[in-house]
Amino acid sequence: MTRRVKIKVRPQQSIQFPGICVHCSQPAPETMTLRQRYGRITRIINLPLCSRCAGELNRRSADEERLQKMSWLISGVLFLLGLAITLLLTPAALSFGLRLLIALLVGGGLVAAVLWGFRQPIANAALPEKQAIRQSVAIEAFSWRATTFAFENDLFADRFTELNKPRLMEI
């Protein structure tokens, strides 16, 4: 069951987390970075993670590996293709440096589009253990003065609530 906790915290202000893993409640020497984007603002928070869960986050499934390698291959081919076609189609009256700059921008845009397009399929191809660790905590909402977390681990949520009691807000 998901448990929501809302605390007062401003950007660049630190949040206290218990020294246990956010997923399995074991001692947590490592961290996992959680990012949530809202418009142009991104909130980045480092959460405690045990060594076993950190190892699981670093493992990749065969499908993840295949999709990642495919995205790199397609990106490389489209970059070179975009570079060549743009160099051929830009007017010769422009200097070569300007033509090359335009071609590099076109190639870079194609690479960014391909990598962005493969981002979600790669995340969906992750191992179930990895997906469970990633889903154990989420930033549901944030503003300039508050952040709402959703925890799957009740023990972690209880300890987090105890540590941040003066900052708690009603949901």
Side-chain angles (χ1 to χ4, degrees):
M1 185 170 110
T2 302
R3 187 144 158 229
R4 289 168 180 72
V5 178
K6 185 175 183 179
I7 62 169
K8 292 179 191 175
V9 62
R10 293 178 184 257
Q12 307 303 326
Q13 197 175 29
S14 63
I15 301 171
Q16 292 184 343
F17 289 103
I20 61 173
C21 179
V22 72
H23 179 67
C24 65
S25 302
Q26 298 297 316
E30 301 192 35
T31 60
M32 169 178 73
T33 302
L34 183 65
R35 288 179 179 86
Q36 180 66 32
R37 187 169 182 88
Y38 182 69
R40 293 183 298 168
I41 302 168
T42 302
R43 177 74 41 103
I44 300 172
I45 297 175
N46 291 321
L47 297 155
L49 207 61
C50 70
S51 299
R52 186 185 65 76
C53 290
E56 286 293 327
L57 278 180
N58 291 329
R59 283 184 50 212
R60 289 196 178 129
S61 69
D63 286 339
E64 265 183 299
E65 287 283 337
R66 182 181 55 78
L67 286 170
Q68 183 141 31
K69 288 177 182 176
M70 244 173 45
S71 71
W72 292 341
L73 177 66
I74 293 170
S75 294
V77 168
L78 285 179
F79 176 79
L80 293 175
L81 196 60
L83 188 73
I85 290 173
T86 305
L87 280 174
L88 290 173
L89 295 179
T90 51
L94 296 175
S95 69
F96 181 74
L98 183 58
R99 290 174 54 211
L100 182 62
L101 178 66
I102 293 169
L104 288 173
L105 288 173
V106 168
L110 289 171
V111 167
V114 167
L115 294 178
W116 185 79
F118 270 89
R119 187 177 46 95
Q120 192 61 44
I122 290 172
N124 292 341
L127 296 167
E129 298 86 11
K130 188 175 186 176
Q131 290 180 357
I133 293 168
R134 285 183 180 160
Q135 294 170 354
S136 62
V137 63
I139 299 174
E140 285 199 339
F142 68 89
S143 65
W144 63 273
R145 69 178 191 105
T147 302
T148 305
F149 293 97
F151 297 108
E152 293 293 328
N153 184 342
D154 288 332
L155 178 62
F156 188 88
D158 290 338
R159 291 201 181 164
F160 178 77
T161 303
E162 289 172 17
L163 282 173
N164 294 290
K165 197 170 271 280
R167 293 179 166 181
L168 288 179
M169 298 176 73
E170 291 293 322
I171 296 178

